[in-house]
C-alpha cells in the first residue's frame, strides 16, 4: 500500500521546480478530481535539506505569504542543498479561511504521521511524512494565532521526556537564530501528533513559530516573519548568502503543564480580566462566565491555576465548556 498522491516535482532533481502535490478526491460534484497542494523544490547539489511549511491551519497567513515569496524569488544557484517549500500545507483549509479542513473537518496538526488510505488530511500528512520529512535535516513550520487566538510573536520548540541532548541543542540554535523575543518550550499537553512533534521523535531539528494573530496579516507581522525566516534559513546553511537583519535575544520560557491553561468551565459568555503580557499570580481572577440566556443567575468566577505571564488568549466571547480562554508561560534560564 503506497500513497495515492502524485506530483510533477522530482524531489531528487537539481534546479528550481514549482509544482503541485495532487491528492485524488472524488466528492459529490467531481468523479475524478484532485485536491491540489502547491509545492516547490529548489535544489543545488549536496547540503542540508530544509522543509518549510505554512498554512498547516488555514486561517494563518504570514507563513504562506513569506514562503510564496521564497518560491518566486529564490533561484537554485542561491541554494546549498535543498529547500522544500509547502506554502499551503492545508490547502483546503486555507481556501476556506478555517483552522481545519472543510472536507473532512480534521486538524492537520493532530493527525501525524498520517494514513495513506485515511481521510484526505491524513493522506497528505502521510505523503509529506514519507517523502519529504524522510529527507529533512531541518524542519521549520510557520504558524499564527488564526481567527480564534491572540498570541505573542514567538518561536516554539518541542520538549519531550528523553530527548537527546544534541537535538535539544540543535533546536535551541534554531530558536536563537530565528531571533524573536520569546521562545516557548512546549509538549502541547502531551499530544505529539503535530508535524513538529513527529519530526522531533524522528530526531530532526525543528522550529515552529507563532507570528501573527486574530486571523489577519499586517505589514509588521509579515515583515517580522520574513526577517526571522531568512535568519533561520541562513543558519541552516541552505541559503548561506541570503540578506538578513539582526534579530532579538530570545527569552526562554515554558508552558508548564496543564495548569498553565485556563478552560471554560461551562457554555457561556466570557468577560476577560487580563491582557497579553500581564504578570499573573496563581489564584488571580481570570474573568467571569456570564449566563446571558438566564439573566437571573450571577456570573461565575474563573481563576488562574498557576503563576506566569499571559502568553495567549482566546478571541471569542461566546465560549463552550472546555474552550481555551488563556495560556501562561514561565521564564526559564536555558533550553535544557
Amino acid at each position: 500500500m503506497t500513497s495515492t498522491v502524485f506530483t510533477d516535482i522530482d524531489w531528487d532533481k537539481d534546479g528550481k521546480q514549482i509544482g503541485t502535490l495532487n491528492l485524488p478526491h472524488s466528492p459529490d460534484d467531481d468523479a475524478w478530481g484532485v485536491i491540489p497542494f502547491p509545492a516547490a523544490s529548489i535544489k543545488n547539489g549536496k547540503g542540508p535539506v530544509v522543509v518549510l511549511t505554512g498554512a498547516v491551519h488555514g486561517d494563518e497567513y504570514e507563513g504562506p505569504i513569506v514562503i510564496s515569496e521564497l518560491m518566486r524569488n529564490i533561484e537554485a544557484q542561491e541554494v546549498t542543498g535543498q529547500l522544500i517549500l509547502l506554502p499551503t500545507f492545508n490547502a483546503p483549509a486555507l481556501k476556506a479561511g478555517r483552522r481545519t479542513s472543510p472536507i473532512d473537518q480534521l486538524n492537520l496538526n493532530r493527525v501525524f504521521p498520517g494514513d495513506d488510505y485515511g481521510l484526505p488530511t491524513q493522506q497528505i500528512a502521510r505523503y509529506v511524512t514519507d517523502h519529504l520529512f524522510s529527507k529533512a535535516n531541518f524542519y521549520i513550520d510557520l504558524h499564527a494565532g488564526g481567527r480564534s487566538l491572540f498570541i505573542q510573536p514567538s518561536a516554539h520548540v518541542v520538549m519531550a521526556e528523553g530527548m537527546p541532548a544534541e537535538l535539544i541543542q540543535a533546536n535551541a540554535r534554531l530558536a536563537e537564530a530565528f531571533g524573536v523575543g520569546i521562545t516557548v518550550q512546549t509538549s502541547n499537553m502531551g499530544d505529539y501528533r503535530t508535524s513538529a512533534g513527529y519530526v522531533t521523535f524522528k530526531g530532526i531539528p525543528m522550529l515552529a513559530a507563532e507570528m501573527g494573530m486574530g486571523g489577519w496579516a499586517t505589514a509588521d507581522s509579515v515583515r517580522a516573519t520574513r526577517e526571522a525566516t531568512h535568519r533561520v534559513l541562513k543558519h541552516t546553511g541552505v541559503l548561506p548568502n541570503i540578506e538578513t537583519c539582526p534579530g532579538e535575544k530570545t527569552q526562554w520560557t515554558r508552558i508548564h503543564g496543564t495548569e498553565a491553561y485556563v478552560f471554560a468551565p461551562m457554555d457561556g459568555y466570557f468577560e476577560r480580566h487580563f491582557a497579553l503580557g500581564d504578570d499573573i499570580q496563581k489564584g488571580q481572577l481570570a474573568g467571569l462566565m456570564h449566563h446571558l440566556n438566564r439573566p437571573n443567575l450571577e456570573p461565575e468566577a474563573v481563576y488562574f491555576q498557576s503563576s506566569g505571564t499571559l502568553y495567549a488568549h482566546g478571541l471569542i466571547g461566546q465560549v463552550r465548556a472546555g474552550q481555551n480562554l488563556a495560556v501562561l508561560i514561565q521564564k526559564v534560564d536555558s533550553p535544557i
Side-chain angles (χ1 to χ4, degrees):
M1 303 283 279
T2 58
S3 175
T4 61
V5 174
F6 60 95
T7 181
D8 51 357
I9 297 174
D10 181 347
W11 302 110
D12 296 321
K13 180 181 175 182
D14 273 7
K16 181 175 181 177
Q17 302 172 76
I18 296 177
T20 310
L21 308 181
N22 296 288
L23 173 60
H25 185 52
S26 184
D28 185 61
D29 63 349
D30 187 0
W32 289 342
V34 297
I35 303 170
F37 298 81
S41 170
I42 311 176
K43 188 173 187 296
N44 183 23
K46 296 186 181 299
V49 178
V50 181
V51 177
L52 178 60
T53 60
V56 166
H57 300 125
D59 58 351
E60 303 171 4
Y61 306 122
E62 287 82 359
I65 291 170
V66 169
I67 298 171
S68 296
E69 290 177 355
L70 292 169
M71 288 177 69
R72 295 191 299 270
N73 298 334
I74 298 299
E75 301 300 331
Q77 62 268 24
E78 300 173 73
V79 171
T80 298
Q82 186 175 19
L83 187 57
I84 295 174
L85 302 173
L86 297 177
T88 63
F89 197 169
N90 194 341
L94 181 69
K95 184 176 181 180
R98 292 175 49 175
R99 179 173 176 82
T100 58
S101 171
I103 295 173
D104 53 26
Q105 286 70 56
L106 288 180
N107 178 345
L108 176 58
N109 226 24
R110 298 296 185 275
V111 301
F112 281 88
D115 181 347
D116 281 329
Y117 286 84
L119 294 170
T121 301
Q122 296 169 310
Q123 291 182 55
I124 196 64
R126 188 67 189 193
Y127 177 87
V128 171
T129 293
D130 287 346
H131 294 268
L132 303 184
F133 288 160
S134 61
K135 298 176 179 293
N137 300 115
F138 300 95
Y139 174 50
I140 311 298
D141 187 25
L142 300 178
H143 286 262
R147 295 178 302 159
S148 66
L149 195 66
F150 257 31
I151 190 167
Q152 297 194 65
S154 51
H156 276 214
V157 294
V158 174
M159 295 296 291
E161 188 173 347
M163 278 179 63
E166 60 270 22
L167 181 58
I168 294 173
Q169 291 162 2
N171 289 349
R173 290 191 292 269
L174 288 172
E176 288 160 358
F178 197 70
V180 295
I182 296 172
T183 297
V184 181
Q185 302 173 13
T186 179
S187 67
N188 204 42
M189 292 188 284
D191 190 340
Y192 295 107
R193 295 174 298 164
T194 64
S195 58
Y198 173 80
V199 300
T200 296
F201 281 102
K202 288 297 182 179
I204 301 167
M206 57 70 55
L207 178 137
E210 300 283 356
M211 295 301 291
M213 62 178 78
W216 60 72
T218 69
D220 285 343
S221 65
V222 171
R223 174 191 50 75
T225 305
R226 178 187 302 115
E227 292 174 353
T229 301
H230 288 189
R231 286 191 293 266
V232 78
L233 291 177
K234 186 169 187 173
H235 165 79
T236 65
V238 74
L239 290 177
N241 299 313
I242 193 168
E243 185 175 342
T244 61
C245 62
E248 300 179 56
K249 180 176 174 57
T250 197
Q251 170 64 61
W252 283 91
T253 70
R254 63 177 179 175
I255 298 176
H256 187 48
T258 56
E259 292 182 349
Y261 299 85
V262 179
F263 303 107
M266 66 192 73
D267 295 350
Y269 301 82
F270 184 59
E271 173 191 328
R272 290 195 301 270
H273 284 231
F274 52 75
L276 282 184
D278 283 355
D279 290 327
I280 302 297
Q281 299 301 314
K282 181 177 180 179
Q284 182 176 326
L285 179 69
L288 300 174
M289 289 292 302
H290 292 272
H291 312 270
L292 298 184
N293 57 340
R294 300 184 66 188
N296 57 307
L297 297 180
E298 293 288 337
E300 182 171 326
V302 181
Y303 298 96
F304 289 100
Q305 301 303 304
S306 66
S307 300
T309 301
L310 206 297
Y311 169 59
H313 67 75
L315 276 174
I316 300 167
Q318 183 179 6
V319 298
R320 65 182 182 278
Q323 191 158 346
N324 179 249
L325 304 176
V327 184
L328 301 179
I329 52 176
Q330 296 176 340
K331 293 179 180 179
V332 295
D333 293 331
S334 73
I336 303 205

